[in-house]
Amino acid sequence: MRLLVLFFLLIPTLVTAAEPMHFVYYDNYRPRSWNDNGTMHGILVDIVEEAVGKRLGIPVTHTGYPWKRAQLMVKEGIADAFITMPTAERRTYTVIGVEPVIEFALRIVTQKDNPKIKEMELITSIEQLKEYEVTDYLGNGWAERNLKEVTVQWLPEIDKIFPFLVEKRADLIVASKRTAYDMKRLGYESQLTILPNKLSSVSFYLCVGKNSPYKDRLNDFDRILKEMHEDGTIDRIEESYYRD
């Protein structure tokens, strides 16, 4: 009888342990995350699958939504985690790792025939962009926070910024490797160029909801991410999406 009681007491624990960790992503963020007929793909998805699913043995699910909705799902405890830049607001409802998931440089994209290109190659800080007309898309959180002192023509979506630049209605875009990926995908690499000088860098971190049962596993996640950086796994995953 005592063993039977113990068995039933253990059932909730066993069920909880088997519950997958539900990751949510921006569903239109190639090549980092995107939805293709209901299945999520991308750099972040592959990293999570390797780190959490394979190396830690935690079952995971991957679902994409408009970005604001994805974040709200973690805030409300409907989903467990997402990967992005930490902000003060996100810290109110998530616990955030110390090991970056991905890191990337920000550089200038401009027209190949821009007469200011030589002087642009000397730019090494956001402060120096005040002398130029910049364009970017609404919803780019980094740009909205860091380009407040710069003249920016805000466009409704990322696909619009490339023709805007080609038409010489702005001098430059501050771009990550992902922006360059879109530039190539949309056929603008013959007209636009990425300058070699680095303006800044950005790191994305794992953000686990404070309501998630996995919030206490953050040290494990950090340990595995560090291991994956050291053994080159994350670099290989990223390059598999960016190479020709």
Side-chain angles (χ1 to χ4, degrees):
M1 182 66 178
R2 187 176 298 173
L3 288 174
L4 188 62
V5 171
L6 181 61
F7 173 77
F8 282 108
L9 287 173
L10 284 173
I11 286 177
T13 303
L14 294 171
V15 171
T16 300
E19 289 178 357
M21 188 172 183
H22 184 191
F23 279 80
V24 287
Y25 308 83
Y26 182 15
D27 62 355
N28 187 24
Y29 195 44
R30 288 175 182 261
R32 293 179 185 146
S33 60
W34 77 93
N35 186 328
D36 184 7
N37 294 319
T39 300
M40 289 303 298
H41 301 273
I43 292 167
L44 299 180
V45 177
D46 288 359
I47 290 172
V48 168
E49 192 63 40
E50 174 67 25
V52 182
K54 293 182 181 177
R55 301 199 185 193
L56 285 174
I58 298 171
V60 291
T61 62
H62 311 279
T63 315
Y65 300 95
W67 185 224
K68 286 187 178 180
R69 182 180 172 191
Q71 294 173 88
L72 185 61
M73 290 179 72
V74 172
K75 187 174 185 177
E76 294 182 345
I78 300 168
D80 292 298
F82 53 68
I83 296 168
T84 191
M85 292 179 291
T87 63
E89 200 272 334
R90 288 171 183 144
R91 289 185 187 279
T92 64
Y93 63 91
T94 66
V95 291
I96 298 173
V98 297
E99 187 69 27
V101 178
I102 57 171
E103 301 174 282
F104 48 91
L106 297 176
R107 306 182 193 277
I108 290 172
V109 172
T110 190
Q111 305 91 349
K112 286 187 174 180
D113 61 352
N114 192 321
K116 303 176 184 177
I117 200 165
K118 289 298 182 185
E119 65 185 61
M120 286 184 183
E121 289 177 345
L122 302 176
I123 296 173
T124 56
S125 71
I126 301 302
E127 179 76 15
Q128 293 170 274
L129 297 180
K130 291 180 180 179
E131 301 176 22
Y132 301 90
E133 293 282 340
V134 179
T135 187
D136 216 311
Y137 63 98
L138 292 168
N140 182 342
W142 180 91
E144 290 169 355
R145 284 189 297 276
N146 290 277
L147 300 181
K148 291 179 180 178
E149 304 300 319
V150 177
T151 302
V152 181
Q153 295 285 338
W154 296 103
L155 301 180
E157 54 193 43
I158 190 169
D159 291 3
K160 304 291 186 185
I161 65 177
F162 303 112
F164 195 86
L165 197 57
V166 166
E167 293 165 7
K168 296 183 169 59
R169 298 169 68 185
D171 293 311
L172 61 90
I173 303 164
V174 178
S176 69
K177 204 170 185 178
R178 192 197 81 82
T179 312
Y181 171 94
D182 278 333
M183 184 179 83
K184 182 176 181 179
R185 177 175 63 87
L186 295 168
Y188 290 101
E189 63 177 344
S190 64
Q191 298 157 291
L192 302 175
T193 186
I194 305 166
L195 303 187
N197 39 314
K198 176 180 170 182
L199 297 185
S200 185
S201 60
V202 175
S203 297
F204 278 13
Y205 292 84
L206 175 61
C207 305
V208 182
K210 290 182 178 179
N211 295 317
S212 169
Y214 291 99
K215 65 182 183 298
D216 297 325
R217 299 292 304 272
L218 210 56
N219 287 341
D220 292 330
F221 300 141
D222 280 333
R223 174 176 56 81
I224 293 299
L225 287 168
K226 186 173 188 295
E227 178 184 289
M228 288 173 64
H229 278 294
E230 290 175 348
D231 68 21
T233 300
I234 289 176
D235 285 343
R236 286 192 293 274
I237 289 172
E238 287 198 86
E239 287 309 310
S240 72
Y241 285 88
Y242 287 121
R243 66 177 174 235
D244 292 336

